Amino acid sequence: MVYRHRLFTSLWIVLVLSVCWGCQKGTRESSRTQSLMDEAMDTTGLLLRYHNNLFSIPSPYEAAYIIRQHDVNFRGELLNDPNRYSRYNTSFKKALNLGIYGTDLGYLNIFNRDKELHSYFKVFKSLAGDLGLRNALAPAELETVKNSFMTGDSAVYYLSSTYRKFDAYLKENNRQKMGALILAGGWIESNYVLSQMVQSSDERQLINRLGEQKYVLENLIELLSSYYYEANRYTELVDALVDIAYEYDGVIYNYYYKKPVVKEEQKLTIIRSTSNVVISEYHIRTISKKLSELRNKIVS
Amino acid sequence: MNRILPCIMGFALIFASLLMSAGLRAQTGPEKIPADCQSLMGEDYLPDGQDYTARLNKNNAARFHAIFYGGNRYFIAACSNIETYPLIIKVYDSERNLLFDNTKHNHTSYWHLAFTSTVSCVVEIRVEAEQHIDQLVRLMIGFQKPRKAE
């Protein structure tokens, strides 16, 4: 009897303590999370130091469109060979190369190189499968992307939507770093192609676009810097990008604010502020060389 | 009676602890992601391939750093599950000059921005509330596909 009474009393104490501890733990954890969030979100500098998804990298297809607009000859040899797929045996390489092949697919579509599309799409699909991204899409969606290559420009639309779904899926499943690597691969490939085109073209707009990557690269480094200590390969990737960013320090970007004009009926604001980029031949060459070295290391 | 009382209190305590742990789970459990704003975007725009979802900070704001290229037209839209307060969308340049403010346009959830030059911007989404609205907001950025004749 005394034993039973003691058992109930002990059970009571354990329950009370566990409930109290649970409450405190919950409060501690939520206040810690909140304080981390506040600390991260309250930065007032130009770049917000937050490991989530607040840094935007412009679509690699924007560079592809600008190249096409300037009638620069398409150079298929610049794209990654789809036969290299079997070399990519780590998720790190697979994610970077998914970004690279996706960019290449966009280039092929924008430049109407339909013959090569099939083999690139096959690799794109395999890499997405290897990275467990099939669940990001409804079963018929990959087929829609595939079929869209037959109908011209809509393929880039479906491809962009697919990448957006991959990105959302990876973030929702706490795999942000894979999403960051895919974005990095896309940026590296599109700027590798752009820098190679710039070397054989004197089109000012293309040169400017390369120079304007100064701030895009800053965003990309911020996006990847959370994973700097994840593994040596992440460290090496960020270091290589930082090395390119040092070269971009020599690129001058001037900006002048001008009051925007609003066209209410079109739900449109025209941002009339002007900017210009001053980039020397030396910096074009050095940036192109370093981009090329980094990109070739990723695809090898 | 001496036996029953500890039993009742024990069960009451267990019940209370279960309720509390359920409450904690409800507070920290999976949250509904805001609806996708892509449906608001016209067919002549292409999504930029990224998903921008962020939690409102203690000032009820989330900031997205974006680069908009000169000569391009962009579409921006904001979505959330917040029903009680309209979303405020503001776009600033790197010098904090205000480029767009949806409060001047009936709190519209989407808008088009045409850039004559490349500008590094901050898109801020916020709600005007006295208390902290601990919710996710989603931004959509799309760029206009250049026409073939251009």
Side-chain angles (χ1 to χ4, degrees):
Chain A
M1 180 67 193
V2 175
Y3 174 72
R4 270 191 195 170
H5 186 73
R6 275 184 189 164
L7 188 68
F8 271 121
T9 313
S10 307
L11 195 65
W12 245 12
I13 292 167
V14 169
L15 278 167
V16 168
L17 285 175
S18 65
V19 168
C20 290
W21 180 80
C23 294
Q24 278 176 358
K25 186 175 176 249
T27 315
R28 260 202 312 271
E29 279 183 355
S30 73
S31 70
R32 183 175 160 269
T33 313
Q34 193 55 53
S35 97
L36 277 174
M37 193 76 79
D38 293 344
E39 190 183 302
M41 299 291 286
D42 268 354
T43 312
T44 48
L46 179 69
L47 291 175
L48 216 59
R49 293 181 190 284
Y50 182 47
H51 80 278
N52 205 346
N53 51 358
L54 299 175
F55 297 95
S56 158
I57 309 298
S59 166
Y61 306 136
E62 287 191 74
Y65 276 117
I66 198 172
I67 291 171
R68 192 188 69 174
Q69 278 177 292
H70 285 87
D71 284 334
V72 179
N73 284 337
F74 178 78
R75 289 169 60 191
E77 78 278 8
L78 291 176
L79 307 186
N80 192 15
D81 184 345
N83 293 321
R84 287 189 179 133
Y85 161 68
S86 57
R87 297 183 190 179
Y88 310 136
N89 49 16
T90 62
S91 55
F92 180 83
K93 277 239 164 176
K94 283 176 195 284
L96 281 169
N97 279 287
L98 180 59
I100 286 175
Y101 282 120
T103 302
D104 292 348
L105 265 172
Y107 270 90
L108 290 167
N109 182 243
I110 289 164
F111 283 91
N112 305 317
R113 300 287 289 251
D114 299 341
K115 270 190 208 162
E116 292 104 317
L117 277 170
H118 182 70
S119 53
Y120 276 83
F121 182 74
K122 208 173 147 189
V123 172
F124 166 83
K125 202 172 153 182
S126 302
L127 285 172
D130 295 347
L131 289 167
L133 289 168
R134 292 272 176 88
N135 293 337
L137 304 171
E141 276 183 294
L142 269 178
E143 276 307 300
T144 309
V145 180
K146 189 182 169 187
N147 296 336
S148 68
F149 284 117
M150 313 299 287
T151 54
D153 271 359
S154 66
V156 181
Y157 175 84
Y158 286 113
L159 212 48
S160 301
S161 299
T162 301
Y163 273 100
R164 192 163 171 267
K165 284 176 185 169
F166 285 167
D167 197 37
Y169 179 80
L170 289 166
K171 281 166 185 163
E172 282 161 25
N173 288 281
N174 207 21
R175 294 172 64 201
Q176 292 93 331
K177 64 184 176 204
M178 284 295 118
L181 289 175
I182 296 171
L183 276 175
W187 183 84
I188 291 164
E189 182 72 345
S190 83
N191 287 290
Y192 161 72
V193 174
L194 178 64
S195 66
Q196 297 302 309
M197 299 286 199
V198 159
Q199 294 208 66
S200 56
S201 160
D202 53 1
E203 285 288 350
R204 192 65 230 174
Q205 213 182 345
L206 296 184
I207 296 167
N208 285 350
R209 189 54 46 93
L210 185 68
E212 287 160 0
Q213 299 306 310
K214 182 182 173 111
Y215 294 107
V216 182
L217 180 56
E218 276 185 18
N219 277 9
L220 182 62
I221 291 168
E222 287 293 331
L223 194 73
L224 289 164
S225 59
S226 314
Y227 315 113
Y228 187 78
Y229 294 109
E230 189 83 23
N232 279 346
R233 49 185 184 264
Y234 283 88
T235 312
E236 284 169 15
L237 173 65
V238 176
D239 283 346
L241 291 169
V242 168
D243 193 36
I244 298 170
Y246 279 134
E247 299 304 331
Y248 267 108
D249 282 346
V251 176
I252 300 162
Y253 174 83
N254 298 309
Y255 174 73
Y256 310 95
Y257 169 75
K258 203 171 174 186
K259 199 177 173 198
V261 170
V262 178
K263 297 200 169 182
E264 187 75 47
E265 68 289 354
Q266 294 176 50
K267 286 189 169 250
L268 169 70
T269 297
I270 299 166
I271 314 293
R272 300 183 304 157
S273 302
T274 55
S275 66
N276 65 57
V277 166
V278 182
I279 182 168
S280 66
E281 286 287 334
Y282 165 81
H283 284 109
I284 293 173
R285 270 199 317 276
T286 317
I287 289 166
S288 302
K289 184 174 170 277
K290 290 190 172 179
L291 264 171
S292 176
E293 284 166 4
L294 173 61
R295 185 267 187 185
N296 290 337
K297 193 177 168 193
I298 292 168
V299 301
S300 63
Chain B
M1 187 63 189
N2 277 350
R3 274 190 209 171
I4 296 167
L5 191 64
C7 272
I8 292 171
M9 291 188 78
F11 281 120
L13 214 52
I14 291 166
F15 186 64
S17 70
L18 284 174
L19 277 180
M20 289 185 81
S21 66
L24 281 175
R25 266 203 309 278
Q27 282 169 37
T28 57
E31 191 174 348
K32 201 179 164 200
I33 305 288
D36 201 344
C37 336
Q38 193 169 330
S39 54
L40 298 170
M41 199 173 76
E43 279 182 6
D44 52 342
Y45 283 89
L46 297 170
D48 71 354
Q50 285 165 83
D51 176 69
Y52 307 106
T53 306
R55 183 172 297 282
L56 293 174
N57 68 5
K58 65 176 179 184
N59 298 318
N60 290 326
R63 296 185 191 96
F64 305 85
H65 294 257
I67 285 100
F68 296 104
Y69 290 133
N72 283 8
R73 186 182 283 207
Y74 293 87
F75 171 90
I76 58 166
C79 301
S80 81
N81 294 323
I82 305 164
E83 289 171 0
T84 39
Y85 302 95
L87 290 181
I88 297 169
I89 312 168
K90 289 186 181 182
V91 180
Y92 297 93
D93 66 13
S94 55
E95 296 170 355
R96 288 291 288 179
N97 296 305
L98 184 61
L99 303 177
F100 170 71
D101 178 356
N102 79 334
T103 62
K104 292 178 181 164
H105 309 287
N106 259 338
H107 289 96
T108 177
S109 56
Y110 68 93
W111 201 255
H112 306 268
L113 301 170
F115 286 81
T116 50
S117 283
T118 297
V119 184
S120 175
C121 292
V122 174
V123 182
E124 184 184 83
I125 300 177
R126 64 161 59 241
V127 292
E128 212 58 69
E130 282 181 14
Q131 75 279 22
H132 178 209
I133 308 293
D134 189 14
Q135 295 271 339
L136 296 170
V137 288
R138 199 169 215 173
L139 172 72
M140 167 87 206
I141 300 178
F143 68 98
Q144 195 173 42
K145 205 162 50 180
R147 289 177 186 89
K148 286 200 169 169
E150 282 178 347

